[in-house]
Amino acid sequence: MLIDTYGRVATDLRVSLTDRCNLRCTYCMPEEGLRWLAKPELLTDDEIVRLIGIAVTSLGIEEVRFTGGEPLLRPGLVGIVERVAALTPRPRMSLTTNGIGLGRTAAALKAAGLDRVNVSLDTLRPDVFKTLTRRDRHHDVLNGLRAAHDVGLTPVKVNTVLMPGLNDDEAPDLLAWAVEHGYELRFIEQMPLDAQHGWKRDGMVTAGDILASLRTRFELTPETSRQRGSAPAERWVVDGGPHRVGVIASVTRPFCAACDRTRLTADGQIRNCLFASEETDLRAALRSDAPDEEIIRVWRLAMWGKKAGSGLDDPSFHQPDRPMSSIGG
């Protein structure tokens, strides 16, 4: 297993398949983009499958989330999903995407064995979407959401970040829309993951702000039917049910004490926290023909050194230098 000095056990593996993205969200990267990783720096499909196989069969990983950048830009994505689905034990598999390419890939991903998707969508207004993402692709995201729902990649979860002065007035409308279409909406506090380091704690829309806005139109009851456990989202029942809405308060109410994640970057580094300042290189071990036992030893050592928390609740927090696009959400 992957255990740290605080007794937390990692059972959830986040795998960044690429650092590239076809949007330029203002809270993630500059308009001109970033310096993408060269192809030799990226893990190959075989290397990714091997590492996931080790994690699942020898390290206790039960769930695999494919991320990016934008994972749908990875040419071998469907094949990777199919090969991971063939592992014993079979892990639960999900994918976090901006949804732009989901309309044409949802059926193939479902057939390959993907269980569900998380789709990022911050607004119902096409003009605001274009301002936030610097791309006119709002309709493609809506099409992708419908395709995912229709082929059974459910529950379809929609991840939303509210930005002051742009979409912070949309929370009730977004929830009404999600309820109408059968999606599970999750609001995420904006985190300091922008490469240009423009995040400001004082300007963010907090979980408290979001809940106050939602309660102007909906009755929200804290969910009591299940323990939250390591789930990052606090969930509320909407108007008596059956619909739920979640809020991930990464900054104002950190959930580090129950964290069960380990992260593999697109270039083969292990990160024991999204905001870790250090990484552990597995790519070098892979390419030096290290046996599985050595990779297991290195991975366990990387997780053993995990800190108690991300530090986001500390006003003196300094965000990491590595951009989010190569780490994965």
Side-chain angles (χ1 to χ4, degrees):
M1 67 174 60
L2 292 170
I3 190 170
D4 64 32
T5 55
Y6 297 91
R8 296 168 297 193
V9 178
T11 58
D12 184 334
L13 171 61
R14 304 296 170 100
V15 181
S16 175
L17 297 177
T18 178
D19 59 329
R20 296 175 184 268
C21 188
N22 41 13
L23 296 180
R24 296 292 182 271
C25 296
T26 56
Y27 52 78
C28 185
M29 68 174 70
E31 186 171 3
E32 64 275 13
L34 301 167
R35 186 192 73 81
W36 307 125
L37 294 168
K39 188 172 182 180
E41 298 178 67
L42 293 169
L43 292 179
T44 66
D45 293 0
D46 287 345
E47 288 171 337
I48 289 170
V49 172
R50 182 185 173 195
L51 289 176
I52 294 175
I54 290 171
V56 168
T57 61
S58 300
L59 292 172
I61 292 298
E62 300 171 355
E63 182 163 353
V64 176
R65 172 81 63 86
F66 297 108
T67 71
E70 173 46 53
L72 296 181
L73 296 180
R74 177 89 185 199
L77 172 61
V78 172
I80 291 171
V81 171
E82 189 170 34
R83 292 168 69 183
V84 173
L87 293 173
T88 302
R90 181 197 186 282
R92 298 184 300 275
M93 286 186 293
S94 57
L95 177 114
T96 295
T97 171
N98 62 30
I100 286 177
L102 199 52
R104 63 177 180 272
T105 56
L109 288 167
K110 177 65 176 179
L114 191 70
D115 295 304
R116 64 171 191 84
V117 293
N118 285 34
V119 180
S120 299
L121 180 65
D122 301 324
T123 178
L124 298 176
R125 305 193 294 248
D127 59 324
V128 176
F129 182 92
K130 188 174 181 179
T131 298
L132 279 168
T133 67
R134 304 184 178 104
R135 298 291 187 270
D136 188 13
R137 306 296 298 273
H138 190 257
H139 61 288
D140 291 317
V141 181
L142 296 182
N143 289 339
L145 280 161
R146 282 192 293 268
H149 186 273
D150 289 347
V151 302
L153 289 171
T154 54
V156 175
K157 296 184 179 181
V158 178
N159 294 341
T160 296
V161 176
L162 297 180
M163 304 282 288
L166 285 172
N167 63 340
D168 54 338
D169 62 333
E170 287 196 67
D173 290 340
L174 281 158
L175 181 52
W177 166 82
V179 167
E180 177 185 355
H181 290 85
Y183 307 142
E184 183 176 323
L185 183 62
R186 307 194 313 170
F187 292 97
I188 305 175
E189 287 183 338
Q190 184 192 1
M191 293 181 285
L193 295 169
D194 55 317
Q196 62 270 35
H197 290 201
W199 178 82
K200 290 181 174 59
R201 184 184 303 272
D202 294 341
M204 62 173 285
V205 180
T206 68
D209 297 331
I210 294 165
L211 291 170
S213 179
L214 292 175
R215 285 181 170 126
T216 64
R217 195 183 305 178
F218 301 95
E219 178 185 348
L220 301 181
T221 306
E223 187 179 56
T224 57
S225 61
R226 67 181 179 92
Q227 290 187 338
R228 179 180 175 186
S230 60
E234 298 177 76
R235 300 208 311 175
W236 282 263
V237 178
V238 180
D239 290 342
H243 301 287
R244 303 313 196 248
V245 64
V247 178
I248 299 177
S250 304
V251 179
T252 60
R253 295 201 287 268
F255 39 86
C256 301
C259 181
D260 65 347
R261 299 177 184 177
T262 182
R263 299 176 182 274
L264 178 64
T265 69
D267 54 350
Q269 311 300 305
I270 288 297
R271 292 177 70 89
N272 56 33
C273 174
L274 186 60
F275 297 97
S277 58
E278 297 178 348
E279 299 176 332
T280 301
D281 188 5
L282 289 187
R283 185 184 64 195
L286 283 172
R287 295 181 181 178
S288 63
D289 296 324
D292 288 0
E293 291 74 18
E294 175 62 11
I295 292 171
I296 290 168
R297 184 192 70 79
V298 172
W299 204 329
R300 282 177 171 157
L301 187 61
M303 294 305 296
W304 182 251
K306 186 172 183 173
K307 294 181 179 179
S310 65
L312 279 177
D313 53 343
D314 184 347
S316 64
F317 171 83
H318 294 288
Q319 59 195 106
D321 291 329
R322 184 194 262 261
M324 180 184 180
S325 60
S326 57
I327 299 172

